Amino acid sequence: MRLVYIGIGANLGSREETLRRAVELLGRADGVEVVAVSELRETDPVGVVDQPPFVNGAVAIETTLPARAFLDVLLEIERSLGRVRGERWGPRIVDLDLLVYGNEVIDEPGLRVPHPRLHERRFVLEPLADLNSELKIPGRGTVSALLAALD
Ligand code: PH2
Ligand code: MG
Ligand code: MG
């Protein structure tokens, strides 16, 4: 059993409703148990700034699935909710990002944990802090320290 954290986001359609639905689908997946869901917050777009505001959150999960199989569950839920892949960092109906998979460090094509940009993104760190501000991000430090470093 691994404790896993994911980031969730949306900036098209009924953003909050889609994210709640994504959490529901996660809870129904085999080998996946939703432990806690952060507050959902509206956030200004980062990267490509000329796009609608996002709603972002984070989810703590326990899973028996290996990282790659867990990632496949996330991608399948994105597809089932109507995600069509377009411009990198562009608008999306739903985005489910694997942030932390236990204390593992994985760097494979299409699968990098901890998420390579997590430590510099307030829209990821603040929801993680709702769940556990003392969570240690392997190789990066605690969520609270990473947030303080952004100020
Ligand atoms: N996701 C991105 C790019 N920019 N900005 C915000 N505020 N929230 C996001 O989830 C987000 C973003 C790429 O995944
Ligand atoms: Mg993302
Ligand atoms: Mg993504």
Side-chain angles (χ1 to χ4, degrees):
M1 194 71 110
R2 286 290 196 319
L3 182 58
V4 169
Y5 291 85
I6 70 165
I8 63 178
N11 75 337
L12 294 177
S14 305
R15 299 166 301 170
E16 188 160 342
E17 200 178 305
T18 308
L19 295 183
R20 300 272 176 218
R21 179 88 182 122
V23 172
E24 192 183 314
L25 292 173
L26 271 164
R28 283 200 212 155
D30 286 340
V32 177
E33 189 186 329
V34 172
V35 175
V37 185
S38 75
E39 297 295 321
L40 300 181
R41 320 169 145 66
E42 185 161 270
T43 62
D44 291 330
V46 171
V48 176
V49 297
D50 183 20
Q51 59 175 322
F54 281 77
V55 172
N56 282 113
V59 185
I61 286 166
E62 282 187 343
T63 187
T64 54
L65 298 177
R68 180 67 70 173
F70 181 78
L71 180 65
D72 287 341
V73 168
L74 298 183
L75 297 176
E76 184 50 39
I77 292 173
E78 287 181 344
R79 269 193 296 273
S80 75
L81 291 171
R83 169 129 182 217
V84 184
R85 291 202 169 252
E87 177 197 8
R88 189 177 188 211
W89 295 346
R92 65 275 311 273
I93 207 155
V94 65
D95 185 29
L96 307 177
D97 287 336
L98 180 50
L99 301 174
V100 173
Y101 182 82
N103 44 31
E104 291 193 26
V105 177
I106 307 173
D107 188 350
E108 295 172 4
L111 174 60
R112 291 174 74 192
V113 283
H115 189 288
R117 288 169 299 280
L118 167 172
H119 60 286
E120 60 196 29
R121 290 176 158 183
R122 189 177 295 279
F123 68 80
V124 174
L125 293 171
E126 284 184 344
L128 279 179
D130 289 349
L131 297 173
N132 179 6
S133 64
E134 293 317 299
L135 173 70
K136 283 203 180 72
I137 309 299
R140 295 280 182 198
T142 64
V143 167
S144 63
L146 292 170
L147 264 175
L150 289 185
D151 294 334

